[in-house]
Amino acid sequence: MKGAGETMSWRLDLPTITTNQTAVIRCNHSLVSPYYLQWYLNSSLGQHYFNGMSEGTNINKVTAKTLSVMPIDLPPLEQQHQIETIHKNWLAQKETHQRLIANGDIYFDQLCTQIQSGNQS
């Protein structure tokens, strides 16, 4: 988990090391898509649950017990896969936009530095 209630996914076919602050969730693929589950846990639905159940004041903590009793709405696998596809597409779009912004920041800085130093082209 990245923060209280924020999830990430890893390829579990590779060697994996976790700390006591990380929960590893293995899915029964005949019932739930791991990508759907990741989306659900990060969605406003999952975050609402985590915010109501987290422990701690400055740093929220979600316990394994809290996670294990979390009610999760599981639509049919076909709908889960639709959400998975949309979610993956949205994440790819966000990554593209982030790269564009980073490139724009570099260009902006170089342009302003050139202008500031009097090397206008």
Side-chain angles (χ1 to χ4, degrees), residues 9-104:
S9 63
W10 291 275
R11 287 187 47 198
L12 292 179
D13 58 330
L14 300 174
T16 305
I17 299 172
T18 66
T19 67
N20 61 350
Q21 297 154 352
T22 304
V24 176
I25 302 170
R26 295 183 193 265
C27 299
N28 179 339
H29 292 261
S30 66
L31 298 175
V32 62
S33 158
Y35 299 101
Y36 169 81
L37 183 59
Q38 178 191 16
W39 166 79
Y40 187 86
L41 294 174
N42 285 316
S43 74
S44 58
L45 300 168
Q47 293 302 302
H48 179 72
Y49 174 80
F50 288 130
N51 290 336
M53 301 300 288
S54 65
E55 299 176 1
T57 53
N58 292 334
I59 300 174
N60 289 334
K61 181 178 91 174
V62 176
T63 66
K65 180 178 178 176
T66 299
L67 187 58
S68 71
V69 297
M70 178 182 187
I72 297 175
D73 182 25
L74 288 179
L77 275 174
E78 182 179 331
Q79 289 177 351
Q80 291 180 43
H81 291 304
Q82 288 176 329
I83 290 171
E84 173 185 333
T85 299
I86 293 167
H87 185 234
K88 284 180 177 180
N89 185 316
W90 177 241
L91 291 177
Q93 289 182 48
K94 284 175 59 174
E95 183 179 330
T96 299
H97 284 101
Q98 289 168 348
R99 284 195 318 263
L100 285 169
I101 290 168
N103 288 341

